[in-house]
């Protein structure tokens, strides 16, 4: 199938899952994951309707930035971000989805404050407590959100996770736990924190993620095909 056909099929799946979960299809944001995807294929996705992109690697983000700006897409950093790479993405990306430690938040805060901007971020949660993955532990998430909320130049807008690979049925418990954490933090009414995005669900499990409460899914392979 073409990239256009893939995108339209994903849109239909997202709409159906949103309706089943009692929400509007337009309330779910589809982030096209463009890691290792060339400009021509990304352009096909944009022509099909994609309006939000996510990059894992800073260098690739920087290389594609002129194209992203030309096409006025929402730009997300979704991969692990080193503190020494923060300077390359600030004032260029709309949302950093992978803030998982206070030193990273402090670096974003320091540089954003110097630039006179506010950088929106998501707190990445290691919902499966997997040693090989980034993300703050569930037990420490509330304290990290609170600490980040006290920093200038940075604004927490929600949570992100990459759960264990368990298939749509097996991963639901992790998505449900993320939703519970999301709602618990939102109910805490932490000053300066607006819990707007619950970013969870990728190509193999985005339907289940939406049904369990996600309002932002990150889709690469199902849209662009295999990158390797």
């Amino acid at each position: 199938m073409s990239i256009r056909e893939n995108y339209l099929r994903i849109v239909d799946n997202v709409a159906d899952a949103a309706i089943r979960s009692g929400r509007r299809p337009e309330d779910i944001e589809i982030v096209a994951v463009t890691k290792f995807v060339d400009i021509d294929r990304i352009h096909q996705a944009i022509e099909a309707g994609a309006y939000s992109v996510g990059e894992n690697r800073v260098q690739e983000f920087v290389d594609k930035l002129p194209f992203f700006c030309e096409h006025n897409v929402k730009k997300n950093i979704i991969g692990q971000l080193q503190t020494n790479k923060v300077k390359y993405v600030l004032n260029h990306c709309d949302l950093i989805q992978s803030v998982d430690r206070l030193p990273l938040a402090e670096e974003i805060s320091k540089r954003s404050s110097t630039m006179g901007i506010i950088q929106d971020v998501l707190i990445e949660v290691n919902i499966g407590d997997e040693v090989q993955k980034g993300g703050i532990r569930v037990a420490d998430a509330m304290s990290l959100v609170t600490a980040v909320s006290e920093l200038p130049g940075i604004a927490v807008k929600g949570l992100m996770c990459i759960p264990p690979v368990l298939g749509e049925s097996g991963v639901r418990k992790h998505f449900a736990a993320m939703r519970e954490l999301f709602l618990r933090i939102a109910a805490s009414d932490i000053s300066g924190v607006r819990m707007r995005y619950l970013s969870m669900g990728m190509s193999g499990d985005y339907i289940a993620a939406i049904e369990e409460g996600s309002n932002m899914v990150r889709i690469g392979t199902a849209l662009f095909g295999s990158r390797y």
Side-chain angles (χ1 to χ4, degrees):
M1 298 181 74
S2 69
I3 289 173
R4 176 179 177 80
E5 290 171 324
N6 288 343
Y7 184 76
L8 295 179
R9 184 183 69 253
I10 292 164
V11 168
D12 286 343
N13 290 341
V14 166
D16 291 343
I19 291 169
R20 284 194 298 272
S21 62
R23 290 174 294 160
R24 301 179 304 169
E26 56 267 31
D27 292 336
I28 315 298
E29 181 171 329
I30 301 170
V31 177
V33 178
T34 50
K35 177 183 177 182
F36 299 149
V37 180
D38 61 71
I39 295 298
D40 288 342
R41 289 194 291 161
I42 299 171
H43 190 245
Q44 291 177 49
I46 292 171
E47 287 189 322
Y51 60 91
S52 183
V53 298
E55 277 291 342
N56 292 74
R57 303 192 309 161
V58 170
Q59 185 58 58
E60 195 168 355
F61 172 80
V62 171
D63 291 344
K64 293 173 180 175
L65 185 58
F67 172 82
F68 292 153
C69 291
E70 177 186 352
H71 291 278
N72 196 32
V73 291
K74 179 177 177 181
K75 299 173 286 296
N76 299 265
I77 295 293
I78 60 176
Q80 292 299 298
L81 182 60
Q82 298 174 341
T83 54
N84 65 348
K85 298 292 181 68
V86 167
K87 60 187 175 183
Y88 298 112
V89 302
L90 284 187
N91 210 30
H92 298 302
C93 70
D94 297 281
L95 188 63
I96 297 174
Q97 297 200 22
S98 50
V99 173
D100 60 357
R101 59 200 187 278
L102 188 56
L104 174 58
E106 290 173 334
E107 179 68 13
I108 293 170
S109 170
K110 180 182 73 174
R111 290 187 175 275
S112 294
S113 297
T114 300
M115 300 170 72
I117 64 171
I118 297 177
Q119 177 64 60
D120 291 343
V121 305
L122 304 184
I123 300 300
E124 182 177 359
V125 178
N126 188 340
I127 193 63
D129 200 21
E130 299 174 273
V131 295
Q132 74 275 22
K133 288 184 179 177
I136 191 75
R137 295 176 64 247
V138 172
D140 300 323
M142 182 76 76
S143 60
L144 179 59
V145 170
T146 301
V148 175
S149 75
E150 297 170 354
L151 299 173
I154 184 171
V156 176
K157 298 294 184 180
L159 305 177
M160 183 268 263
C161 78
I162 303 174
V165 180
L166 298 170
E168 281 202 294
S169 58
V171 79
R172 283 183 181 271
K173 64 179 181 181
H174 294 296
F175 289 148
M178 278 295 297
R179 181 173 183 271
E180 190 278 330
L181 177 63
F182 179 89
L183 293 174
R184 180 153 47 90
I185 294 174
S188 298
D189 197 25
I190 301 169
S191 179
V193 173
R194 183 187 176 195
M195 298 298 283
R196 179 178 178 185
Y197 299 112
L198 179 53
S199 176
M200 60 183 191
M202 297 184 289
S203 289
D205 55 21
Y206 69 93
I207 293 174
I210 294 169
E211 291 174 346
E212 295 296 337
S214 172
N215 60 10
M216 177 181 279
V217 293
R218 310 178 306 273
I219 301 179
T221 303
L223 175 59
F224 295 110
S226 176
R227 300 173 178 84
Y228 308 102

